[in-house]
Coordinates of all heavy atoms in Angstrom, one line a residue:
M1302 N -53.4 -11.5 3.3 CA -54.4 -11.4 2.3 C -53.9 -12.3 1.1 O -54.7 -13.0 0.5 CB -54.7 -10.0 1.9 CG -55.8 -9.9 0.9 SD -56.2 -8.1 0.5 CE -54.8 -7.6 -0.4
E1303 N -52.7 -12.0 0.7 CA -52.2 -12.7 -0.4 C -52.0 -14.2 -0.3 O -52.3 -15.1 -1.1 CB -50.9 -12.1 -1.0 CG -51.0 -10.7 -1.5 CD -51.9 -10.6 -2.6 OE1 -51.9 -11.6 -3.5 OE2 -52.7 -9.7 -2.7
A1304 N -51.6 -14.6 1.0 CA -51.5 -16.0 1.4 C -52.7 -16.7 1.3 O -52.9 -17.9 0.8 CB -50.7 -16.1 2.7
Y1305 N -53.8 -16.1 1.8 CA -55.2 -16.6 1.8 C -55.6 -16.8 0.3 O -56.1 -17.9 0.0 CB -56.1 -15.6 2.4 CG -57.6 -16.0 2.3 CD1 -58.1 -16.9 3.3 CD2 -58.4 -15.5 1.3 CE1 -59.5 -17.3 3.2 CE2 -59.7 -15.9 1.2 CZ -60.2 -16.8 2.2 OH -61.6 -17.1 2.1
T1306 N -55.4 -15.9 -0.5 CA -55.8 -15.9 -1.9 C -55.0 -17.1 -2.6 O -55.7 -17.9 -3.3 CB -55.4 -14.6 -2.7 OG1 -56.2 -13.5 -2.0 CG2 -55.8 -14.7 -4.1
V1307 N -53.7 -17.2 -2.4 CA -52.9 -18.3 -3.0 C -53.5 -19.7 -2.6 O -53.8 -20.5 -3.4 CB -51.5 -18.2 -2.7 CG1 -50.7 -19.4 -3.0 CG2 -50.8 -17.0 -3.3
K1308 N -53.8 -19.8 -1.2 CA -54.2 -21.1 -0.8 C -55.6 -21.4 -1.4 O -55.9 -22.6 -1.8 CB -54.3 -21.2 0.7 CG -52.9 -21.5 1.3 CD -53.1 -22.1 2.7 CE -51.8 -22.8 3.1 NZ -51.9 -23.3 4.4
V1309 N -56.5 -20.5 -1.4 CA -57.8 -20.7 -1.9 C -57.9 -21.0 -3.4 O -58.4 -22.0 -3.9 CB -58.8 -19.4 -1.7 CG1 -60.0 -19.5 -2.5 CG2 -59.1 -19.2 -0.3
M1310 N -57.0 -20.4 -4.2 CA -56.8 -20.6 -5.6 C -56.3 -22.0 -5.9 O -56.6 -22.6 -6.8 CB -56.0 -19.6 -6.3 CG -56.5 -18.1 -6.2 SD -58.2 -17.9 -6.9 CE -57.8 -18.0 -8.6
K1311 N -55.5 -22.5 -5.0 CA -55.0 -23.9 -5.0 C -55.9 -24.9 -4.5 O -55.6 -26.2 -4.6 CB -53.6 -24.0 -4.2 CG -52.5 -23.3 -4.9 CD -51.3 -23.5 -4.1 CE -50.0 -22.8 -4.7 NZ -48.8 -23.0 -3.8
G1312 N -57.0 -24.5 -3.9 CA -58.0 -25.4 -3.3 C -57.6 -25.9 -2.0 O -58.1 -26.9 -1.5
E1313 N -56.7 -25.2 -1.3 CA -56.2 -25.7 -0.1 C -57.0 -25.0 1.1 O -57.6 -23.9 0.8 CB -54.7 -25.3 0.1 CG -53.9 -26.1 -0.9 CD -52.3 -25.6 -0.9 OE1 -52.0 -24.8 0.0 OE2 -51.6 -26.1 -1.7
N1314 N -56.9 -25.5 2.3 CA -57.5 -24.9 3.4 C -56.8 -23.6 3.8 O -55.6 -23.6 4.0 CB -57.5 -25.9 4.6 CG -58.1 -25.4 5.9 OD1 -58.0 -24.2 6.2 ND2 -58.9 -26.2 6.5
A1315 N -57.5 -22.6 3.8 CA -57.0 -21.2 4.2 C -57.4 -20.6 5.5 O -57.4 -19.5 5.7 CB -57.4 -20.2 3.0
T1316 N -57.8 -21.5 6.4 CA -58.2 -21.2 7.8 C -57.2 -20.3 8.5 O -57.6 -19.2 9.0 CB -58.6 -22.4 8.5 OG1 -59.6 -23.1 7.9 CG2 -59.1 -22.0 9.9
Q1317 N -56.0 -20.8 8.5 CA -55.0 -19.9 9.2 C -54.7 -18.6 8.6 O -54.6 -17.6 9.3 CB -53.6 -20.8 9.3 CG -52.6 -20.1 10.1 CD -51.3 -20.9 10.2 OE1 -51.3 -22.0 9.8 NE2 -50.3 -20.4 10.9
E1318 N -54.7 -18.6 7.3 CA -54.4 -17.3 6.6 C -55.5 -16.3 6.9 O -55.4 -15.1 7.1 CB -54.2 -17.6 5.2 CG -52.9 -18.2 4.8 CD -52.8 -19.7 5.2 OE1 -53.9 -20.4 5.4 OE2 -51.8 -20.3 5.3
D1319 N -56.8 -16.8 6.9 CA -57.9 -16.0 7.2 C -57.8 -15.4 8.6 O -58.1 -14.2 8.8 CB -59.2 -16.8 7.0 CG -60.5 -15.9 7.2 OD1 -60.6 -14.9 6.4 OD2 -61.4 -16.2 7.9
L1320 N -57.5 -16.2 9.6 CA -57.4 -15.9 10.9 C -56.2 -14.8 11.1 O -56.4 -13.8 11.7 CB -57.0 -17.0 11.8 CG -56.7 -16.7 13.3 CD1 -57.9 -16.1 14.0 CD2 -56.3 -18.0 14.0
L1321 N -55.1 -15.0 10.5 CA -54.1 -14.0 10.5 C -54.4 -12.7 9.9 O -54.0 -11.7 10.4 CB -52.8 -14.7 9.8 CG -52.2 -15.9 10.6 CD1 -51.0 -16.4 9.8 CD2 -51.6 -15.4 11.9
F1322 N -55.2 -12.7 8.8 CA -55.6 -11.4 8.2 C -56.3 -10.7 9.2 O -56.1 -9.5 9.4 CB -56.4 -11.8 6.9 CG -57.0 -10.6 6.3 CD1 -56.2 -9.7 5.5 CD2 -58.3 -10.2 6.5 CE1 -56.8 -8.6 4.8 CE2 -58.9 -9.2 5.9 CZ -58.1 -8.4 5.0
H1323 N -57.4 -11.3 9.8 CA -58.2 -10.5 10.7 C -57.5 -10.1 12.0 O -57.7 -9.0 12.6 CB -59.5 -11.3 11.1 CG -60.4 -11.4 9.9 ND1 -61.3 -10.4 9.4 CD2 -60.5 -12.4 9.0 CE1 -61.9 -10.8 8.4 NE2 -61.5 -12.0 8.0
L1324 N -56.6 -11.0 12.5 CA -55.8 -10.6 13.6 C -54.9 -9.4 13.3 O -54.6 -8.5 14.1 CB -54.9 -11.7 14.2 CG -55.7 -12.9 14.9 CD1 -54.8 -14.0 15.2 CD2 -56.3 -12.3 16.1
A1325 N -54.3 -9.3 12.1 CA -53.5 -8.2 11.6 C -54.2 -6.9 11.6 O -53.8 -5.8 12.0 CB -52.8 -8.5 10.3
I1326 N -55.5 -7.0 11.2 CA -56.3 -5.8 11.2 C -56.6 -5.4 12.7 O -56.4 -4.1 12.9 CB -57.7 -6.1 10.5 CG1 -57.5 -6.3 9.0 CG2 -58.7 -4.9 10.7 CD1 -58.8 -6.8 8.3
A1327 N -56.9 -6.2 13.5 CA -57.1 -5.9 14.9 C -55.9 -5.2 15.5 O -56.0 -4.2 16.2 CB -57.5 -7.1 15.8
K1328 N -54.7 -5.8 15.2 CA -53.4 -5.3 15.7 C -53.1 -3.9 15.1 O -52.8 -3.0 15.8 CB -52.3 -6.2 15.5 CG -51.0 -5.8 16.1 CD -49.9 -6.8 15.9 CE -48.6 -6.3 16.5 NZ -47.5 -7.3 16.3
A1329 N -53.4 -3.7 13.9 CA -53.1 -2.5 13.2 C -54.0 -1.3 13.5 O -53.6 -0.2 13.4 CB -53.1 -2.7 11.7
C1330 N -55.2 -1.7 14.1 CA -56.1 -0.6 14.4 C -55.6 0.3 15.5 O -56.1 1.4 15.7 CB -57.5 -1.1 14.8 SG -57.6 -1.9 16.4
G1331 N -54.6 -0.2 16.3 CA -54.0 0.7 17.3 C -54.8 0.8 18.5 O -54.4 1.5 19.5
N1332 N -56.0 0.2 18.6 CA -56.8 0.2 19.8 C -56.5 -1.1 20.6 O -56.9 -2.1 20.3 CB -58.3 0.2 19.4 CG -59.2 0.4 20.6 OD1 -59.0 -0.2 21.6 ND2 -60.2 1.1 20.4
S1333 N -55.7 -0.9 21.7 CA -55.3 -2.0 22.5 C -56.5 -2.9 23.0 O -56.3 -4.1 23.1 CB -54.4 -1.5 23.6 OG -55.1 -0.7 24.5
T1334 N -57.6 -2.2 23.3 CA -58.7 -3.0 23.8 C -59.3 -3.9 22.8 O -59.5 -5.0 23.0 CB -59.8 -2.0 24.3 OG1 -59.3 -1.2 25.4 CG2 -61.0 -2.8 24.9
I1335 N -59.5 -3.4 21.5 CA -60.0 -4.2 20.5 C -59.0 -5.3 20.2 O -59.4 -6.5 20.0 CB -60.3 -3.3 19.2 CG1 -61.4 -2.4 19.5 CG2 -60.5 -4.2 18.0 CD1 -61.7 -1.4 18.3
N1336 N -57.7 -5.0 20.2 CA -56.7 -5.9 19.8 C -56.8 -7.1 20.9 O -56.7 -8.2 20.5 CB -55.4 -5.4 19.8 CG -54.3 -6.3 19.3 OD1 -54.5 -7.1 18.5 ND2 -53.1 -6.1 19.8
T1337 N -56.8 -6.7 22.2 CA -56.8 -7.7 23.2 C -58.1 -8.6 23.2 O -58.0 -9.8 23.3 CB -56.7 -7.0 24.6 OG1 -55.5 -6.3 24.7 CG2 -56.8 -8.1 25.7
I1338 N -59.2 -8.0 23.0 CA -60.5 -8.7 22.9 C -60.4 -9.7 21.7 O -60.7 -10.8 21.9 CB -61.7 -7.8 22.8 CG1 -61.9 -7.1 24.1 CG2 -63.0 -8.6 22.4 CD1 -62.9 -5.9 24.1
Y1339 N -60.0 -9.2 20.6 CA -60.0 -10.0 19.4 C -59.0 -11.1 19.5 O -59.3 -12.3 19.3 CB -59.5 -9.1 18.2 CG -60.1 -9.7 16.9 CD1 -61.2 -9.3 16.3 CD2 -59.3 -10.8 16.3 CE1 -61.6 -9.9 15.1 CE2 -59.7 -11.3 15.1 CZ -60.9 -10.9 14.5 OH -61.3 -11.3 13.3
A1340 N -57.8 -10.8 20.1 CA -56.8 -11.8 20.2 C -57.1 -12.9 21.3 O -56.9 -14.1 21.1 CB -55.4 -11.2 20.5
D1341 N -57.7 -12.4 22.3 CA -58.1 -13.3 23.4 C -59.4 -14.2 23.2 O -59.5 -15.2 23.7 CB -58.2 -12.5 24.7 CG -56.9 -12.1 25.3 OD1 -55.9 -12.5 24.8 OD2 -56.9 -11.2 26.2
H1342 N -60.4 -13.6 22.5 CA -61.7 -14.2 22.4 C -62.1 -14.6 21.1 O -62.8 -15.6 21.0 CB -62.7 -13.2 23.0 CG -62.5 -12.8 24.4 ND1 -62.6 -13.7 25.5 CD2 -62.1 -11.7 24.9 CE1 -62.3 -13.1 26.6 NE2 -62.0 -11.8 26.3
H1343 N -61.6 -14.1 20.1 CA -62.1 -14.4 18.7 C -61.4 -15.5 18.0 O -61.9 -16.2 17.2 CB -62.2 -13.2 17.8 CG -63.3 -12.2 18.2 ND1 -64.6 -12.6 18.0 CD2 -63.3 -11.0 18.8 CE1 -65.3 -11.6 18.6 NE2 -64.5 -10.6 19.0
P1344 N -60.1 -15.8 18.3 CA -59.4 -16.8 17.5 C -60.2 -18.2 17.5 O -60.3 -18.8 16.4 CB -58.0 -17.0 18.2 CG -57.8 -15.6 18.8 CD -59.2 -15.1 19.2
G1345 N -60.7 -18.6 18.6 CA -61.4 -19.9 18.6 C -62.7 -19.8 17.8 O -63.1 -20.7 17.0
D1346 N -63.4 -18.7 18.0 CA -64.6 -18.5 17.2 C -64.3 -18.4 15.7 O -65.0 -19.0 14.9 CB -65.3 -17.2 17.7 CG -65.8 -17.3 19.1 OD1 -66.1 -18.4 19.6 OD2 -66.1 -16.2 19.7
L1347 N -63.3 -17.6 15.4 CA -62.9 -17.4 14.0 C -62.5 -18.8 13.4 O -62.8 -19.1 12.3 CB -61.9 -16.4 13.8 CG -61.5 -16.0 12.4 CD1 -62.8 -15.5 11.6 CD2 -60.6 -14.8 12.4
T1348 N -61.7 -19.5 14.2 CA -61.2 -20.8 13.7 C -62.3 -21.7 13.4 O -62.4 -22.4 12.4 CB -60.2 -21.4 14.7 OG1 -59.1 -20.5 14.9 CG2 -59.7 -22.7 14.2
N1349 N -63.3 -21.8 14.4 CA -64.5 -22.6 14.1 C -65.3 -22.2 12.8 O -65.7 -23.0 12.0 CB -65.4 -22.7 15.3 CG -64.8 -23.5 16.4 OD1 -64.0 -24.5 16.1 ND2 -65.1 -23.2 17.6
F1350 N -65.4 -20.9 12.7 CA -66.1 -20.3 11.6 C -65.4 -20.6 10.4 O -66.1 -21.1 9.3 CB -66.2 -18.8 11.8 CG -66.9 -18.1 10.6 CD1 -68.3 -18.1 10.4 CD2 -66.1 -17.6 9.5 CE1 -68.8 -17.5 9.4 CE2 -66.7 -17.0 8.5 CZ -68.1 -17.0 8.3
T1351 N -64.2 -20.3 10.2 CA -63.4 -20.6 9.0 C -63.3 -22.1 8.7 O -63.3 -22.5 7.6 CB -62.1 -20.0 9.0 OG1 -61.3 -20.4 10.1 CG2 -62.2 -18.5 9.0
K1352 N -63.3 -22.9 9.8 CA -63.2 -24.4 9.6 C -64.4 -24.9 8.8 O -64.3 -25.7 7.9 CB -63.1 -25.1 10.9 CG -63.0 -26.6 10.9 CD -63.0 -27.1 12.2 CE -63.0 -28.7 12.2 NZ -63.1 -29.2 13.7
Y1353 N -65.5 -24.3 9.1 CA -66.8 -24.7 8.5 C -67.2 -24.0 7.2 O -68.0 -24.4 6.5 CB -67.9 -24.9 9.5 CG -67.6 -25.8 10.5 CD1 -67.2 -25.4 11.8 CD2 -67.6 -27.2 10.3 CE1 -66.9 -26.3 12.8 CE2 -67.3 -28.1 11.3 CZ -67.0 -27.7 12.5 OH -66.6 -28.6 13.5
H1354 N -66.6 -22.7 7.2 CA -67.0 -21.8 6.0 C -66.0 -21.6 5.0 O -66.3 -21.6 3.8 CB -67.6 -20.5 6.6 CG -68.8 -20.8 7.3 ND1 -68.9 -21.1 8.6 CD2 -70.2 -20.8 6.9 CE1 -70.2 -21.2 9.0 NE2 -70.9 -21.0 7.9
V1355 N -64.7 -21.3 5.4 CA -63.6 -21.0 4.4 C -63.3 -22.3 3.7 O -62.9 -22.2 2.5 CB -62.4 -20.5 5.2 CG1 -61.2 -20.4 4.3 CG2 -62.7 -19.1 5.8
C1356 N -63.5 -23.4 4.3 CA -63.2 -24.6 3.5 C -64.2 -24.9 2.3 O -64.0 -25.6 1.4 CB -63.2 -25.8 4.4 SG -61.9 -25.7 5.7
D1357 N -65.4 -24.2 2.4 CA -66.3 -24.3 1.3 C -65.8 -23.4 0.2 O -65.5 -22.3 0.3 CB -67.7 -23.7 1.8 CG -68.7 -23.7 0.7 OD1 -68.6 -22.9 -0.2 OD2 -69.7 -24.5 0.8
K1358 N -65.6 -24.1 -1.0 CA -64.9 -23.4 -2.2 C -65.6 -22.1 -2.5 O -64.9 -21.1 -2.8 CB -64.9 -24.3 -3.3 CG -63.9 -25.4 -3.2 CD -63.8 -26.3 -4.4 CE -62.8 -27.4 -4.1 NZ -62.7 -28.3 -5.3
N1359 N -67.0 -22.0 -2.6 CA -67.6 -20.8 -3.0 C -67.4 -19.7 -2.0 O -67.1 -18.6 -2.3 CB -69.1 -21.1 -3.2 CG -69.4 -22.0 -4.4 OD1 -68.6 -22.0 -5.4 ND2 -70.5 -22.8 -4.3
I1360 N -67.6 -20.1 -0.8 CA -67.4 -19.0 0.3 C -66.0 -18.6 0.4 O -65.7 -17.4 0.6 CB -68.0 -19.5 1.6 CG1 -69.4 -19.7 1.6 CG2 -67.6 -18.6 2.8 CD1 -70.1 -20.4 2.8
A1361 N -65.0 -19.5 0.2 CA -63.6 -19.1 0.2 C -63.3 -18.2 -0.9 O -62.6 -17.2 -0.6 CB -62.8 -20.4 0.1
F1362 N -63.9 -18.4 -2.0 CA -63.6 -17.4 -3.2 C -64.3 -16.1 -2.9 O -63.6 -15.1 -3.3 CB -64.1 -18.0 -4.5 CG -63.2 -19.0 -5.1 CD1 -63.5 -20.4 -5.0 CD2 -62.0 -18.6 -5.7 CE1 -62.5 -21.3 -5.6 CE2 -61.0 -19.5 -6.3 CZ -61.4 -20.8 -6.2
I1363 N -65.4 -16.1 -2.3 CA -66.1 -14.8 -1.9 C -65.1 -14.1 -0.9 O -65.0 -12.9 -0.9 CB -67.4 -15.1 -1.4 CG1 -68.4 -15.5 -2.5 CG2 -68.0 -13.8 -0.7 CD1 -69.7 -16.1 -2.0
G1364 N -64.5 -14.8 0.0 CA -63.6 -14.3 1.0 C -62.4 -13.5 0.4 O -62.0 -12.6 1.0
I1365 N -62.0 -13.9 -0.8 CA -60.9 -13.2 -1.4 C -61.3 -11.8 -1.7 O -60.6 -10.8 -1.4 CB -60.5 -13.9 -2.8 CG1 -59.8 -15.3 -2.5 CG2 -59.6 -13.0 -3.6 CD1 -59.6 -16.1 -3.7
Q1366 N -62.5 -11.6 -2.3 CA -63.0 -10.2 -2.6 C -63.3 -9.5 -1.3 O -63.0 -8.3 -1.2 CB -64.2 -10.3 -3.5 CG -64.7 -8.9 -3.9 CD -63.6 -8.1 -4.7 OE1 -63.1 -8.7 -5.6 NE2 -63.3 -7.0 -4.4
E1367 N -63.9 -10.2 -0.3 CA -64.1 -9.5 1.0 C -62.8 -9.0 1.6 O -62.8 -7.8 2.1 CB -64.9 -10.5 1.9 CG -66.3 -10.7 1.4 CD -67.0 -11.7 2.3 OE1 -66.3 -12.5 3.1 OE2 -68.2 -11.8 2.2
H1368 N -61.8 -9.8 1.5 CA -60.4 -9.4 2.1 C -59.9 -8.1 1.4 O -59.5 -7.2 1.9 CB -59.5 -10.5 2.1 CG -59.7 -11.5 3.1 ND1 -58.9 -12.6 3.3 CD2 -60.6 -11.6 4.2 CE1 -59.3 -13.4 4.3 NE2 -60.4 -12.7 4.8
R1369 N -60.1 -8.2 0.1 CA -59.6 -7.1 -0.8 C -60.4 -5.8 -0.4 O -59.9 -4.8 -0.4 CB -59.7 -7.4 -2.3 CG -58.6 -8.4 -2.7 CD -58.7 -8.7 -4.2 NE -57.6 -9.5 -4.5 CZ -57.7 -10.5 -5.5 NH1 -58.7 -10.5 -6.2 NH2 -56.7 -11.3 -5.6
D1370 N -61.8 -5.9 -0.3 CA -62.6 -4.8 0.1 C -62.1 -4.2 1.4 O -62.1 -3.0 1.6 CB -64.1 -5.2 0.1 CG -64.6 -5.6 -1.2 OD1 -64.1 -5.2 -2.3 OD2 -65.7 -6.2 -1.3
I1371 N -61.9 -5.0 2.4 CA -61.5 -4.6 3.7 C -60.2 -3.8 3.5 O -59.9 -2.7 4.0 CB -61.3 -5.7 4.7 CG1 -62.7 -6.3 5.0 CG2 -60.7 -5.2 6.0 CD1 -62.7 -7.7 5.7
Y1372 N -59.2 -4.4 2.9 CA -57.9 -3.8 2.6 C -58.0 -2.5 2.0 O -57.4 -1.5 2.3 CB -57.0 -4.8 1.8 CG -55.7 -4.2 1.4 CD1 -54.7 -4.0 2.4 CD2 -55.5 -3.7 0.1 CE1 -53.5 -3.5 1.9 CE2 -54.3 -3.1 -0.2 CZ -53.4 -3.1 0.7 OH -52.1 -2.4 0.2
E1373 N -58.8 -2.4 0.9 CA -58.9 -1.1 0.1 C -59.6 0.0 1.0 O -59.2 1.1 1.0 CB -59.8 -1.3 -1.1 CG -59.1 -2.1 -2.2 CD -57.8 -1.5 -2.6 OE1 -57.7 -0.3 -2.8 OE2 -56.8 -2.3 -2.9
A1374 N -60.5 -0.4 1.9 CA -61.1 0.5 2.7 C -60.1 1.1 3.7 O -60.0 2.3 4.0 CB -62.4 0.0 3.5
I1375 N -59.2 0.2 4.3 CA -58.2 0.7 5.2 C -57.2 1.5 4.4 O -56.8 2.6 5.0 CB -57.5 -0.6 5.7 CG1 -58.5 -1.3 6.7 CG2 -56.2 -0.2 6.5 CD1 -58.0 -2.7 7.2
K1376 N -56.9 1.1 3.2 CA -55.9 1.9 2.4 C -56.5 3.3 2.2 O -55.7 4.3 2.2 CB -55.7 1.2 1.1 CG -54.6 1.7 0.3 CD -54.3 0.7 -0.8 CE -53.7 1.3 -2.1 NZ -53.5 0.4 -3.2
K1377 N -57.8 3.4 1.9 CA -58.4 4.7 1.7 C -58.7 5.5 3.0 O -59.2 6.6 3.1 CB -59.8 4.5 1.0 CG -59.7 4.0 -0.3 CD -61.2 3.8 -0.9 CE -61.0 3.2 -2.3 NZ -62.4 2.9 -2.9
Q1378 N -58.3 4.9 4.1 CA -58.4 5.4 5.5 C -59.9 5.8 5.7 O -60.3 6.8 6.3 CB -57.6 6.7 5.6 CG -56.1 6.4 5.5 CD -55.2 7.6 5.8 OE1 -55.6 8.7 5.9 NE2 -53.9 7.3 5.8
D1379 N -60.7 4.8 5.4 CA -62.2 4.9 5.7 C -62.5 3.8 6.7 O -63.0 2.7 6.3 CB -63.0 4.8 4.4 CG -64.4 5.0 4.5 OD1 -64.9 4.9 5.6 OD2 -65.0 5.3 3.5
P1380 N -62.5 4.2 8.0 CA -62.7 3.1 9.0 C -64.1 2.7 9.0 O -64.3 1.4 9.3 CB -62.3 3.8 10.3 CG -62.3 5.2 10.0 CD -62.0 5.4 8.6
Q1381 N -65.1 3.4 8.7 CA -66.5 3.0 8.8 C -66.6 2.0 7.7 O -67.3 0.9 7.9 CB -67.4 4.2 8.6 CG -67.5 5.1 9.8 CD -66.3 6.1 9.8 OE1 -65.7 6.4 8.8 NE2 -66.1 6.7 11.0
L1382 N -66.2 2.2 6.5 CA -66.3 1.3 5.3 C -65.6 0.0 5.7 O -66.1 -1.1 5.5 CB -65.8 1.8 4.1 CG -65.8 1.0 2.8 CD1 -67.3 0.5 2.5 CD2 -65.2 1.6 1.6
A1383 N -64.4 0.1 6.2 CA -63.6 -1.1 6.6 C -64.4 -1.9 7.7 O -64.5 -3.2 7.6 CB -62.2 -0.8 7.1
Q1384 N -65.0 -1.3 8.6 CA -65.7 -2.0 9.6 C -66.9 -2.6 9.0 O -67.2 -3.9 9.3 CB -66.3 -1.0 10.7 CG -67.1 -1.7 11.7 CD -67.5 -0.7 12.8 OE1 -67.3 0.5 12.8 NE2 -68.3 -1.2 13.8
R1385 N -67.6 -2.0 8.1 CA -68.8 -2.6 7.4 C -68.4 -3.8 6.6 O -69.1 -4.9 6.7 CB -69.5 -1.6 6.5 CG -70.3 -0.6 7.3 CD -71.3 0.1 6.4 NE -70.7 0.8 5.2 CZ -70.1 2.0 5.2 NH1 -70.0 2.8 6.2 NH2 -69.6 2.4 4.0
K1386 N -67.3 -3.7 5.9 CA -66.8 -4.8 5.1 C -66.3 -6.0 6.0 O -66.6 -7.1 5.7 CB -65.6 -4.3 4.2 CG -66.0 -3.3 3.2 CD -67.0 -3.9 2.1 CE -67.2 -2.9 1.1 NZ -68.2 -3.4 0.1
N1387 N -65.7 -5.7 7.1 CA -65.2 -6.8 8.1 C -66.5 -7.4 8.7 O -66.5 -8.6 8.9 CB -64.4 -6.1 9.1 CG -63.7 -7.2 9.9 OD1 -63.2 -8.2 9.4 ND2 -63.6 -7.0 11.2
E1388 N -67.5 -6.6 9.0 CA -68.7 -7.2 9.6 C -69.4 -8.2 8.7 O -70.0 -9.2 9.1 CB -69.7 -6.2 10.0 CG -69.3 -5.4 11.2 CD -70.1 -4.1 11.5 OE1 -71.0 -3.8 10.6 OE2 -69.9 -3.4 12.5
N1389 N -69.3 -8.0 7.4 CA -69.8 -8.9 6.4 C -69.2 -10.2 6.3 O -69.6 -11.2 5.7 CB -69.8 -8.2 5.0 CG -70.8 -7.1 4.9 OD1 -71.7 -6.9 5.7 ND2 -70.5 -6.1 4.0
T1390 N -68.0 -10.3 6.9 CA -67.1 -11.6 6.8 C -67.5 -12.6 7.8 O -67.1 -13.7 7.7 CB -65.7 -11.3 6.8 OG1 -65.3 -10.8 8.1 CG2 -65.2 -10.3 5.7
F1391 N -68.3 -12.3 8.7 CA -68.6 -13.2 9.8 C -70.1 -13.6 9.7 O -71.0 -13.1 9.6 CB -68.3 -12.5 11.2 CG -67.0 -12.3 11.4 CD1 -66.4 -11.1 11.2 CD2 -66.1 -13.3 11.7 CE1 -65.1 -10.8 11.5 CE2 -64.8 -13.1 11.9 CZ -64.3 -11.9 11.8

């Protein structure tokens, strides 16, 4: 999350950092099925999505807050809120 923020603030491409953030969430959820599906199927989709959207400065800055919202929901142990916030990022 922090690496994404730093790159966005510098005006750099944060595609890889965005992907790693979402993969970390999938891994941390502890559900091997979700982790496998996400790792096996979503990286290409997410890479394409972020290639065309995270590179847009306005959307990239919005992504900073979206990542923080997801993180805060996880920290509060509110999986429903985290899921809703994560769904808003795609």
